[in-house]
Amino acid sequence: MRISRLLVQGGLTVAAAAALPLAVTAPPAAARVSGISVSTTGSTVSVVTSSCAQINGSWGTAALLSSGQSSFAQGRQVALSGTSVSQSAAWSGVVPGTYTVTVVCASGSTAGTQSVIVSTASTPTISSTAAPSRGVMGGVGGTVRDFGPVTLVLGGALAGSGVIGAAWYLRSRSKPYRY
């Protein structure tokens, strides 16, 4: 009975130690999922989504908001066009600055919101916080974000120290006290 209780307690400790690096390095939920992809080329900003359904001949509306604008109605609005697979909208003649693109489907639901930076550079500038359009990246864990070596080493050190701590605890608990 005593051994099984120790194994259960130790197993919970090891599970908690293993989950800690995942909880520390996970991005916020709001950053993980977005149903839009925004890009810029020169002074043109475009948005693509596949989240909207056609209702009464309309896919929805996209709005480009500058830094001083706070509501969807204040932005430069463009109707979405496309097919059931992909809908898009574009704005041309956009002056350099930071903008927020918001897409509202014809059903009234928000497909996503993203920030984009328009610069005077002749090369395309893409600012996106959405998951890649072709799924997640391959590799350890299949994450959508590439963590650097420092993050991976710290996560490994946390997991390793949790395992060592759990082993030390279980070993010290299994020895009977000597009087």
Side-chain angles (χ1 to χ4, degrees), residues 67-101:
S67 60
Q69 298 170 327
S70 59
S71 72
F72 185 83
Q74 294 174 336
R76 289 174 55 184
Q77 295 184 11
V78 176
L80 291 174
S81 61
T83 64
S84 60
V85 176
S86 176
Q87 304 87 42
S88 63
W91 299 268
S92 59
V94 179
V95 297
T98 302
Y99 296 89
T100 301
V101 176

Short mmCIF file of all heavy atoms in Angstrom, two decimals, residues 67-101:
data_model
loop_
_atom_site.label_atom_id
_atom_site.label_comp_id
_atom_site.label_asym_id
_atom_site.label_seq_id
_atom_site.Cartn_x
_atom_site.Cartn_y
_atom_site.Cartn_z
N SER A 67 -4.06 54.07 -36.72
CA SER A 67 -3.80 54.04 -35.27
C SER A 67 -4.78 54.89 -34.47
O SER A 67 -5.03 54.62 -33.31
CB SER A 67 -2.37 54.47 -34.98
OG SER A 67 -2.16 55.78 -35.47
N GLY A 68 -5.37 55.92 -35.05
CA GLY A 68 -6.29 56.77 -34.32
C GLY A 68 -7.73 56.28 -34.33
O GLY A 68 -8.59 56.84 -33.65
N GLN A 69 -8.02 55.25 -35.09
CA GLN A 69 -9.38 54.74 -35.21
C GLN A 69 -9.56 53.53 -34.31
O GLN A 69 -8.68 52.69 -34.21
CB GLN A 69 -9.68 54.37 -36.66
CG GLN A 69 -9.60 55.57 -37.58
CD GLN A 69 -9.66 55.18 -39.05
OE1 GLN A 69 -9.20 54.12 -39.43
NE2 GLN A 69 -10.23 56.06 -39.87
N SER A 70 -10.73 53.46 -33.66
CA SER A 70 -10.93 52.39 -32.68
C SER A 70 -12.09 51.45 -33.02
O SER A 70 -12.17 50.37 -32.45
CB SER A 70 -11.17 52.99 -31.30
OG SER A 70 -12.30 53.83 -31.33
N SER A 71 -12.98 51.84 -33.92
CA SER A 71 -14.11 50.95 -34.21
C SER A 71 -14.12 50.57 -35.69
O SER A 71 -13.57 51.27 -36.54
CB SER A 71 -15.44 51.62 -33.84
OG SER A 71 -15.73 52.66 -34.76
N PHE A 72 -14.78 49.48 -36.00
CA PHE A 72 -14.88 48.96 -37.35
C PHE A 72 -15.47 50.00 -38.30
O PHE A 72 -15.02 50.15 -39.43
CB PHE A 72 -15.72 47.69 -37.32
CG PHE A 72 -15.80 46.98 -38.64
CD1 PHE A 72 -14.80 46.12 -39.03
CD2 PHE A 72 -16.88 47.17 -39.48
CE1 PHE A 72 -14.86 45.45 -40.25
CE2 PHE A 72 -16.96 46.51 -40.69
CZ PHE A 72 -15.94 45.64 -41.08
N ALA A 73 -16.48 50.73 -37.84
CA ALA A 73 -17.17 51.71 -38.68
C ALA A 73 -16.27 52.87 -39.10
O ALA A 73 -16.52 53.51 -40.12
CB ALA A 73 -18.40 52.24 -37.95
N GLN A 74 -15.22 53.16 -38.33
CA GLN A 74 -14.33 54.28 -38.64
C GLN A 74 -13.32 53.96 -39.73
O GLN A 74 -12.74 54.85 -40.33
CB GLN A 74 -13.57 54.72 -37.38
CG GLN A 74 -14.45 55.31 -36.31
CD GLN A 74 -13.66 55.58 -35.04
OE1 GLN A 74 -12.62 54.97 -34.77
NE2 GLN A 74 -14.16 56.51 -34.23
N GLY A 75 -13.07 52.68 -39.99
CA GLY A 75 -12.04 52.28 -40.94
C GLY A 75 -12.48 52.36 -42.38
O GLY A 75 -13.65 52.57 -42.70
N ARG A 76 -11.51 52.19 -43.30
CA ARG A 76 -11.79 52.12 -44.74
C ARG A 76 -12.35 50.74 -45.02
O ARG A 76 -11.64 49.74 -44.95
CB ARG A 76 -10.51 52.33 -45.54
CG ARG A 76 -10.00 53.75 -45.51
CD ARG A 76 -8.65 53.90 -46.19
NE ARG A 76 -8.62 53.42 -47.57
CZ ARG A 76 -7.51 53.40 -48.31
NH1 ARG A 76 -6.36 53.82 -47.80
NH2 ARG A 76 -7.55 52.94 -49.54
N GLN A 77 -13.64 50.66 -45.34
CA GLN A 77 -14.31 49.38 -45.50
C GLN A 77 -14.35 48.95 -46.97
O GLN A 77 -14.55 49.78 -47.87
CB GLN A 77 -15.73 49.45 -44.95
CG GLN A 77 -15.76 49.69 -43.46
CD GLN A 77 -17.17 49.67 -42.90
OE1 GLN A 77 -18.11 49.28 -43.56
NE2 GLN A 77 -17.30 50.07 -41.65
N VAL A 78 -14.13 47.63 -47.17
CA VAL A 78 -14.17 47.03 -48.50
C VAL A 78 -14.94 45.73 -48.38
O VAL A 78 -14.73 44.96 -47.43
CB VAL A 78 -12.75 46.76 -49.04
CG1 VAL A 78 -12.80 46.03 -50.37
CG2 VAL A 78 -11.95 48.03 -49.16
N ALA A 79 -15.84 45.46 -49.35
CA ALA A 79 -16.60 44.21 -49.34
C ALA A 79 -15.68 43.05 -49.74
O ALA A 79 -14.82 43.20 -50.60
CB ALA A 79 -17.76 44.29 -50.31
N LEU A 80 -15.85 41.92 -49.08
CA LEU A 80 -15.09 40.73 -49.43
C LEU A 80 -15.60 40.15 -50.74
O LEU A 80 -16.79 40.21 -51.03
CB LEU A 80 -15.23 39.66 -48.34
CG LEU A 80 -14.58 39.95 -46.99
CD1 LEU A 80 -14.95 38.86 -45.99
CD2 LEU A 80 -13.07 40.03 -47.13
N SER A 81 -14.69 39.61 -51.53
CA SER A 81 -15.07 38.92 -52.76
C SER A 81 -14.33 37.60 -52.81
O SER A 81 -13.31 37.42 -52.14
CB SER A 81 -14.73 39.76 -53.99
OG SER A 81 -13.33 39.98 -54.03
N GLY A 82 -14.86 36.63 -53.57
CA GLY A 82 -14.17 35.36 -53.68
C GLY A 82 -15.12 34.20 -53.85
O GLY A 82 -16.20 34.34 -54.42
N THR A 83 -14.69 33.05 -53.33
CA THR A 83 -15.45 31.82 -53.45
C THR A 83 -15.65 31.22 -52.06
O THR A 83 -15.20 31.79 -51.06
CB THR A 83 -14.70 30.80 -54.32
OG1 THR A 83 -13.48 30.45 -53.66
CG2 THR A 83 -14.38 31.37 -55.70
N SER A 84 -16.27 30.05 -52.01
CA SER A 84 -16.48 29.40 -50.71
C SER A 84 -15.16 28.91 -50.11
O SER A 84 -15.08 28.66 -48.92
CB SER A 84 -17.44 28.22 -50.86
OG SER A 84 -16.91 27.28 -51.77
N VAL A 85 -14.11 28.83 -50.91
CA VAL A 85 -12.80 28.39 -50.42
C VAL A 85 -12.00 29.55 -49.86
O VAL A 85 -11.33 29.42 -48.84
CB VAL A 85 -12.01 27.70 -51.55
CG1 VAL A 85 -10.62 27.33 -51.10
CG2 VAL A 85 -12.76 26.48 -52.05
N SER A 86 -12.06 30.71 -50.50
CA SER A 86 -11.23 31.84 -50.09
C SER A 86 -11.91 33.16 -50.45
O SER A 86 -12.40 33.34 -51.56
CB SER A 86 -9.87 31.75 -50.80
OG SER A 86 -9.07 32.86 -50.51
N GLN A 87 -11.89 34.09 -49.48
CA GLN A 87 -12.43 35.42 -49.70
C GLN A 87 -11.30 36.43 -49.47
O GLN A 87 -10.42 36.19 -48.65
CB GLN A 87 -13.58 35.73 -48.74
CG GLN A 87 -14.73 34.73 -48.79
CD GLN A 87 -14.52 33.54 -47.89
OE1 GLN A 87 -14.08 33.69 -46.77
NE2 GLN A 87 -14.83 32.34 -48.37
N SER A 88 -11.35 37.56 -50.18
CA SER A 88 -10.27 38.54 -50.05
C SER A 88 -10.79 39.96 -50.23
O SER A 88 -11.88 40.18 -50.74
CB SER A 88 -9.17 38.26 -51.08
OG SER A 88 -9.69 38.42 -52.39
N ALA A 89 -9.94 40.89 -49.80
CA ALA A 89 -10.20 42.32 -49.98
C ALA A 89 -8.85 43.02 -50.04
O ALA A 89 -7.85 42.50 -49.54
CB ALA A 89 -11.03 42.88 -48.83
N ALA A 90 -8.80 44.21 -50.67
CA ALA A 90 -7.54 44.94 -50.80
C ALA A 90 -7.79 46.44 -50.76
O ALA A 90 -8.86 46.92 -51.14
CB ALA A 90 -6.85 44.56 -52.11
N TRP A 91 -6.79 47.15 -50.26
CA TRP A 91 -6.79 48.61 -50.22
C TRP A 91 -5.54 49.08 -50.93
O TRP A 91 -4.44 48.59 -50.64
CB TRP A 91 -6.78 49.13 -48.78
CG TRP A 91 -7.95 48.71 -47.97
CD1 TRP A 91 -9.12 49.38 -47.80
CD2 TRP A 91 -8.08 47.50 -47.20
NE1 TRP A 91 -9.96 48.68 -46.98
CE2 TRP A 91 -9.35 47.51 -46.59
CE3 TRP A 91 -7.26 46.41 -46.97
CZ2 TRP A 91 -9.81 46.50 -45.77
CZ3 TRP A 91 -7.70 45.39 -46.15
CH2 TRP A 91 -8.96 45.44 -45.56
N SER A 92 -5.66 50.06 -51.82
CA SER A 92 -4.48 50.61 -52.50
C SER A 92 -4.29 52.06 -52.08
O SER A 92 -5.21 52.70 -51.57
CB SER A 92 -4.65 50.50 -54.01
OG SER A 92 -5.80 51.20 -54.42
N GLY A 93 -3.09 52.57 -52.30
CA GLY A 93 -2.77 53.95 -51.93
C GLY A 93 -2.70 54.16 -50.43
O GLY A 93 -3.00 55.25 -49.94
N VAL A 94 -2.29 53.16 -49.69
CA VAL A 94 -2.19 53.26 -48.23
C VAL A 94 -0.86 53.93 -47.88
O VAL A 94 0.20 53.49 -48.35
CB VAL A 94 -2.29 51.86 -47.58
CG1 VAL A 94 -2.16 51.96 -46.08
CG2 VAL A 94 -3.59 51.18 -47.97
N VAL A 95 -0.91 54.98 -47.08
CA VAL A 95 0.31 55.69 -46.68
C VAL A 95 1.04 54.88 -45.61
O VAL A 95 0.43 54.11 -44.88
CB VAL A 95 0.00 57.12 -46.17
CG1 VAL A 95 -0.61 57.96 -47.29
CG2 VAL A 95 -0.91 57.10 -44.98
N PRO A 96 2.37 55.04 -45.50
CA PRO A 96 3.12 54.28 -44.50
C PRO A 96 2.61 54.52 -43.08
O PRO A 96 2.21 55.63 -42.72
CB PRO A 96 4.55 54.82 -44.65
CG PRO A 96 4.61 55.31 -46.06
CD PRO A 96 3.25 55.85 -46.36
N GLY A 97 2.61 53.47 -42.30
CA GLY A 97 2.16 53.53 -40.91
C GLY A 97 1.74 52.16 -40.42
O GLY A 97 1.89 51.16 -41.11
N THR A 98 1.19 52.13 -39.22
CA THR A 98 0.71 50.89 -38.63
C THR A 98 -0.81 50.87 -38.68
O THR A 98 -1.45 51.84 -38.28
CB THR A 98 1.19 50.76 -37.16
OG1 THR A 98 2.61 50.82 -37.14
CG2 THR A 98 0.72 49.45 -36.55
N TYR A 99 -1.35 49.78 -39.16
CA TYR A 99 -2.80 49.66 -39.34
C TYR A 99 -3.30 48.36 -38.70
O TYR A 99 -2.52 47.44 -38.46
CB TYR A 99 -3.15 49.64 -40.84
CG TYR A 99 -2.81 50.93 -41.54
CD1 TYR A 99 -1.56 51.13 -42.11
CD2 TYR A 99 -3.74 51.96 -41.64
CE1 TYR A 99 -1.24 52.31 -42.74
CE2 TYR A 99 -3.43 53.14 -42.27
CZ TYR A 99 -2.18 53.32 -42.83
OH TYR A 99 -1.87 54.50 -43.45
N THR A 100 -4.61 48.32 -38.47
CA THR A 100 -5.27 47.10 -37.99
C THR A 100 -6.31 46.72 -39.03
O THR A 100 -7.11 47.55 -39.45
CB THR A 100 -5.94 47.33 -36.63
OG1 THR A 100 -4.95 47.73 -35.69
CG2 THR A 100 -6.60 46.06 -36.13
N VAL A 101 -6.27 45.45 -39.45
CA VAL A 101 -7.24 44.94 -40.41
C VAL A 101 -8.21 44.04 -39.65
O VAL A 101 -7.79 43.15 -38.92
CB VAL A 101 -6.55 44.15 -41.54
CG1 VAL A 101 -7.58 43.54 -42.47
CG2 VAL A 101 -5.59 45.05 -42.30
#
